[in-house]
Each structure stands twice: as C-alpha cells, then as structure tokens.
Amino acid sequence: MDVRRDTDLRPFWLAGRPATGDAELTVTNSHDGRIVGVASVPTADQVEEAVAAAHAVSRQAAALPVHVRAEALAHVSRRLAERSEEIARLITAENGKPIQWARGEVGRAVATFRFAAEEARRFSGAVQRLDTEPAAQGRLAYVTRVPYGPVLAITPFNFPLNLVAHKVAPAIAVGAPIIVKPAPATPLSSLVLGEILVETDLPEGMFSVLPVPNDRAGALVTDPRLPVVSFTGSGPVGFAIKDQVPRKHVTLELGGNAAAVVLGDADLDWAASRIALFSNYQAGQSCIAVQRVIVEDSVAEEFTGKLLSAVGTLVTGDPEDDKTQVGPLVSEDAAVRVENWVAEAVSAGARLLTGGTRDGATVAPTVLTDVPSDAKVVSEEVFGPVMVIQRVGSVDEAFAAVNDSKYGLQAGVFTRSLDAAFRANRELEVGGVIIGDVPSYRADQMPYGGVKESGIGREGLHSAMDDLTYEKVMVLTGLAL
C-alpha cells in the first residue's frame, strides 16, 4: 500500500488519545522536496497535560500485571508486521532512506517489540538466602527491579521507527510511562506507532508522542516528574542534557566514527563487500556506519582495489526504487556539510579515490586515503557516505588506531584468527567488537552502547529494562529455611 501523500493534519498522541495543537510541522522528502505530511504540534499546556498524566499513572503502570504489558507489546509487534509495507514507505518518504533499508527497519521494530514481550514475561524477581552467616539465620532476601518512573525519550531522525521502539518497548515492559519527543525531521513514523499503541489495553497516560521543536525540549528534560531521560543523538547535545540534570537517571546513545580493521588473514572479498555497503547504507547516517578502514600493509593494495570495485557497484538514486542502496541524506544542508568536510580533507592533503560529489541532498559514496589525523572526516562523526582508508604495519598499530578516537561505540575486525579476535575484545575501547564483519552489525536483543564520548548505558531489551529500573530488596525474617 502506498503512503499517503496528501497534507491532512496528523494528530499527536496525548496520554493515549489523539490531539491537535496550535502549530504545525511540515515534513518534506529530501530526494524530491515534496510534502510528505503535516504533523500537529502540541501547545505548552498540552505538554503539561501529558507530563501530568504520565506522573499520575506511574504507580498503576508499575503494578500492571505482566500479561497486560506483554500482550500490549506483542500486539504492537503483530500490527507493525501487518502494516509493514505502508510504514516502510512512510519511513522512506520522511527520512529518505532507500526502501530496502526502510523495510529492514520495520522488520527490526517487529522483532524489538516481540523480544520485549518475551523479556517482560521473564523479567522476574530473585531470591537470595542470607543465612550464610549465623546472624542472618532464618532470613531470605527477595530482590525485584522497580521502574524509576516516567521516561522522557528523545529520538533521532536516522531510525525514526526502530530507535523509538528501543525506548518505548523496554519502558512498557517494566511498567514505566513514556513520553516520546521525536526528531522534528521525522515525526511521522512515531505517530503511526502511537496509532498502534492506542489499540492496546495500556492505561491512559502510559504513553504520549509529542512532536515539539528541539528548542522546547529543555522544559521536558528538566521536569522533575520525568526522572529518566533516554537520549539518542549527537554527543554535545547528549552530554549537555546530562550536565543539566545531574540528579536524573540519564542514558545516552551517542555517535561514533566506527572503525573496520582488515588484518592480513582476512577474507578480502567479504571484507570489501561488507565495508562498501555499510559505509554507505542509509547514506552513512548511522552511528555505526563504517567511517575508518584500518588495513594491514600486507594486503592494503589488494584490498583497496577490491573495496573501490565494490563501492562502484552500489546503486545510488531514488530511495523508492527497490534497487537503490544509497539514497539522499536527510536534508540538503546535511549533504552540504559532508561535501565541505571532504573538501577540507582534500585541501589538507588527502587523496580522493572515488566520490566526493553532491547532487542536492545526495552525496556520492566517497573513499579517501592519506588523510591527516586531525581532519574532521577522521576525528569527528561524518554521518554521511564517506570512509577513510588508513594503512598500518601491524596488529598493534591497527588496534592503537581504533582506540585513537574520542568515540568508542563499536568496531569490526576482519580476521580468521581466534587469538586476534580475543585480543581485539580485550584491547579495543568500544562497547561492541564484531569479529568477521562490520561494526554496523547490531542484533536488537543484544546489549548495545558505547564508552568514552559514545554514550552511557546500554540498549537491547533486557539491558534497557535493567537501565530503566533499580534493585529493591525485601528481607523476610524468621523463616525455617
């Protein structure tokens, strides 16, 4: 089914019901500039109503029977699957990502809610005998996890459905109300998620989706009735939030300049095909897209040729075409920034092996080498279809190069050596090490997050559920154990 292309006003979701405000947010397609949809923007009073409702329902939400939470999550999973093509086309329209990647995102969101339903049923208390010492004879500890309270979720544009799912699903699973503030560029997917959530038996106030502008997010961040802030986005904004509310529980899933290491024993054809694709998928707008390619000298020439050939086969064009692998960035401004960073690197002495051109919001897949270490395309997060090849003489140099970054989200290591794999796991300063594949690999149920300036906390359903809750212990006394 094709996505709606009219400009009917789309309501937001206020405490589980549709509502409209006094302003509008127009969403456009970055490929052809057409209007995709118009979302209503809540007033300050409506935002207050949503926060008050989340606060008021928090005790009821925490006490919801597990089967109610689990069935609500399972319902969302089923309905996303039933509406998958419609929602995929909506993601492509508002975000610009090629339809093949949008379909993949919907499939992942289906799994994310399914995993959450399963985890909700397993997320139970534990018992601990305390009579290991004479003074505690007859005592038993019952340990449970309790939600901190309502969650403020601030989500980015690059995965407008699944990164929202990674905040909404664990919150519902643990019984925490949630308020979603989606990215202004891509609010429509989260509004569709609201349509599906309202079909469940969750209590009023359990969720709101509020497409407010970024300059109004500060009031939500500082509101004491929202004790948890879960943010995905840029490092400067994320750490500014943490500094602003030091007494809140803040989780940050931030950016990176992910490295793929190609050692001398690697399968070069496999490495080249995977790196080519996952430097450029979604126009490089992923915090774990391959940006730095670190290659041992012994295979560098051969690998570079294979990599350039693989990049040359990528299909760039209309994101609604099933064959397109590389589409536009989210906006022309974003594409201009990437173009400028590439030009700066070349001016500083880098060699451009392919790409470097821009057509509107689309940047051609770009490969650079001999790039100065202080160039933005090396030291910062490009968030565009750009990769930098760095040659090294040994495994020692390769792993040191990975760690020579203020970021530490994930790294990929192409090797057949088990020793090298375990060494990478010991030495690399990242939250995830992917052996035999790109750093862009993520299973939605696994722990996911970074170190250094790549964030605080972990997503992945069970990990996120732990992060949204605290341990509470009840000690039973006078038991005959």
Side-chain angles (χ1 to χ4, degrees):
M1 184 171 73
D2 201 4
V3 67
R4 287 172 20 170
R5 299 180 190 275
D6 56 70
T7 55
D8 288 350
L9 187 66
R10 297 174 186 249
F12 53 88
W13 297 95
L14 196 168
R17 64 182 189 276
T20 56
D22 61 358
E24 298 176 357
L25 177 63
T26 300
V27 180
T28 58
N29 180 282
S30 63
H31 177 67
D32 57 19
R34 74 183 187 277
I35 294 175
V36 175
V38 180
S40 184
V41 176
T43 66
D45 287 343
Q46 288 170 319
V47 171
E48 163 59 29
E49 185 179 349
V51 175
H55 177 69
V57 81
S58 58
R59 288 192 178 183
Q60 179 188 354
L64 279 175
V66 169
H67 71 87
V68 174
R69 300 180 218 164
E71 181 49 39
L73 293 162
H75 174 83
V76 174
S77 179
R78 291 191 297 268
R79 292 288 286 137
L80 287 173
E82 291 167 2
R83 298 178 63 180
S84 60
E85 184 65 12
E86 168 204 354
I87 296 171
R89 291 191 177 277
L90 179 62
I91 290 171
T92 292
E94 69 170 342
N95 172 276
K97 73 173 61 178
I99 186 65
Q100 63 173 273
W101 301 117
R103 289 176 180 137
E105 179 175 352
V106 178
R108 289 179 60 188
V110 169
T112 297
F113 276 97
R114 186 179 72 250
F115 294 145
E118 295 165 357
E119 288 292 346
R121 290 190 166 95
R122 288 193 288 261
F123 201 68
S124 189
V127 295
Q128 181 181 6
R129 289 184 65 147
L130 303 179
D131 61 345
T132 55
E133 298 296 326
Q137 186 167 330
R139 295 179 186 261
L140 184 78
Y142 173 61
V143 184
T144 55
R145 297 199 69 91
V146 179
Y148 288 105
V151 178
L152 170 62
I154 302 176
T155 60
F157 69 81
N158 57 327
F159 288 87
L161 178 66
N162 196 41
L163 290 186
V164 176
H166 268 285
K167 299 187 185 303
V168 171
I172 292 173
V174 301
I178 185 163
I179 291 176
V180 176
K181 193 216 89 64
T186 57
L188 304 181
S189 300
S190 57
L191 294 176
V192 170
L193 182 58
E195 288 179 22
I196 295 173
L197 283 165
V198 82
E199 299 169 356
T200 70
D201 293 328
L202 294 172
E204 184 175 309
M206 190 72 180
F207 72 92
S208 293
V209 182
L210 306 178
V212 297
N214 290 337
D215 60 8
R216 290 177 56 192
L220 285 166
V221 167
T222 58
D223 196 303
R225 294 167 295 180
L226 302 173
V228 179
V229 180
S230 180
F231 172 85
T232 299
S234 73
V237 175
F239 283 110
I241 288 173
K242 186 175 185 301
D243 292 343
Q244 191 176 15
V245 286
R247 290 178 174 82
K248 288 195 176 192
H249 185 76
V250 177
T251 65
L252 302 175
E253 200 278 277
L254 306 177
N257 54 2
V261 176
V262 182
L263 297 182
D265 66 339
D267 180 334
L268 299 186
D269 290 317
W270 167 253
S273 65
R274 297 293 284 176
I275 290 170
L277 184 59
F278 285 96
S279 176
N280 296 291
Y281 84 124
Q282 303 185 154
Q285 295 171 124
S286 167
C287 49
I288 45 177
V290 179
Q291 182 172 327
R292 296 181 294 147
V293 186
I294 299 165
V295 192
E296 273 201 284
D297 273 330
S298 60
V299 294
E301 290 297 333
E302 182 182 1
F303 171 77
T304 299
K306 292 176 181 293
L307 178 64
L308 292 174
S309 294
V311 169
T313 66
L314 296 176
V315 179
T316 302
D318 183 351
E320 293 190 352
D321 188 326
D322 287 349
K323 298 183 181 65
T324 297
Q325 296 167 295
V326 186
L329 279 78
V330 72
S331 68
E332 187 165 349
D333 286 345
V336 168
R337 177 191 58 77
V338 172
E339 179 186 36
N340 289 339
W341 283 21
V342 171
E344 287 175 12
V346 172
S347 295
R351 286 195 296 128
L352 181 66
L353 300 183
T354 190
T357 59
R358 178 180 65 84
D359 180 9
T362 299
V363 174
T366 300
V367 182
L368 297 161
T369 192
D370 299 332
V371 183
S373 61
D374 60 349
K376 292 190 183 78
V377 293
V378 174
S379 62
E380 300 295 336
E381 181 179 38
V382 175
F383 226 59
V386 178
M387 71 178 102
V388 173
I389 298 176
Q390 299 172 271
R391 295 178 62 155
V392 294
S394 65
V395 177
D396 289 350
E397 289 182 27
F399 290 175
V402 174
N403 291 339
D404 185 19
S405 171
K406 63 185 177 181
Y407 299 110
L409 191 46
Q410 292 199 156
V413 180
F414 289 87
T415 181
R416 294 183 173 95
S417 166
L418 198 58
D419 287 341
F422 276 92
R423 180 180 173 186
N425 190 56
R426 287 194 309 272
E427 296 182 8
L428 298 184
E429 299 165 357
V430 293
V433 178
I434 314 300
I435 302 298
D437 207 350
V438 289
S440 322
Y441 177 80
R442 177 183 181 182
D444 289 287
Q445 70 271 36
M446 78 184 196
Y448 175 78
V451 296
K452 299 194 281 191
E453 293 191 22
S454 287
I456 300 167
R458 291 294 181 268
E459 291 189 345
L461 281 307
H462 186 88
S463 299
M465 289 164 69
D466 278 347
D467 226 349
L468 298 179
T469 55
Y470 61 91
E471 282 189 321
K472 187 173 186 178
V473 61
M474 176 177 70
V475 177
L476 300 175
T477 306
L479 302 178
L481 300 172

